[in-house]
């Protein structure tokens, strides 16, 4: 029996956990700078966001779960200021141009790597680093 058959499960999605002290501000950054979408899932009794998600596909598609989740699970907490993701994108040059056009300059220039791919790094509003490749 193969290990795959023996274990009886497989991973469908994997979403990094993103901590921020201000979920609304972080969500706004992802929407305004990255062009992503969001959903606040849970709020405290004062209406402050406790948990939400940010993602790059249309909410109507994301909610159906027809495509894998490609965003971040956002929780209220202290940001960790570390590399949070190695994210694959299609058309990294357009992504770079889009982010720069929104006035965000905490992104490295796109570089072609010796292995043939292209990479860049985005530093988020909370100090996380998203390494991107194509």
């Amino acid at each position: 029996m193969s290990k795959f058959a023996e274990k009886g499960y497989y991973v469908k999605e994997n979403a990094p956990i993103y901590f921020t002290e201000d979920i609304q501000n972080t969500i706004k950054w992802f929407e305004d700078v990255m062009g992503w979408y969001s959903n606040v899932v849970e709020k405290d009794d004062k209406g402050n966001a406790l948990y939400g998600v940010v993602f790059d596909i249309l909410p109507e598609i994301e909610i159906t779960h027809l495509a894998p989740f490609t965003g971040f699970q956002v929780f209220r907490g202290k940001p960790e200021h570390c590399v949070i993701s190695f994210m694959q994108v299609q058309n990294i040059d357009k992504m770079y141009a889009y982010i720069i056009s929104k006035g965000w300059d905490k992104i490295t220039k796109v570089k072609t790597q010796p292995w043939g791919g292209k990479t860049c790094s985005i530093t988020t509003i909370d100090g996380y680093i998203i390494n991107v490749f194509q």
Side-chain angles (χ1 to χ4, degrees):
M1 177 181 280
S2 76
K3 186 189 310 188
F4 184 80
E6 179 184 344
K7 69 181 184 169
Y9 75 90
Y10 65 95
V11 177
K12 291 180 67 172
E13 297 177 337
N14 187 25
I17 301 297
Y18 187 113
F19 289 105
T20 177
E21 293 176 358
D22 186 341
I23 291 176
Q24 290 301 134
N25 193 45
T26 296
I27 284 174
K28 183 172 178 7
W29 181 86
F30 273 96
E31 290 174 344
D32 295 348
V33 173
M34 298 289 288
W36 287 20
Y37 304 92
S38 66
N39 182 21
V40 174
V41 179
E42 189 67 37
K43 295 180 179 179
D44 64 18
D45 56 359
K46 296 178 184 172
N48 299 310
L50 294 172
Y51 163 67
V53 292
V54 292
F55 46 90
D56 75 312
I57 60 175
L58 292 168
E60 297 85 1
I61 296 171
E62 198 283 322
I63 200 165
T64 65
H65 302 284
L66 292 174
F69 181 75
T70 56
F72 296 99
Q73 306 286 329
V74 183
F75 290 89
R76 190 165 26 169
K78 186 176 168 120
E80 296 178 357
H81 302 122
C82 61
V83 173
I84 192 168
S85 178
F86 189 49
M87 181 173 68
Q88 183 178 16
V89 301
Q90 185 68 35
N91 207 331
I92 195 170
D93 295 309
K94 283 192 176 184
M95 183 204 70
Y96 176 85
Y98 182 89
I99 291 169
I100 292 295
S101 78
K102 298 302 179 181
W104 193 255
D105 64 356
K106 294 179 182 175
I107 181 171
T108 63
K109 292 193 184 291
V110 175
K111 296 179 189 173
T112 300
Q113 298 298 324
W115 43 271
K118 292 181 173 183
T119 62
C120 69
S121 294
I122 306 159
T123 301
T124 72
I125 193 168
D126 298 296
Y128 285 100
I129 298 168
I130 302 171
N131 288 330
V132 182
F133 74 99
Q134 173 184 303

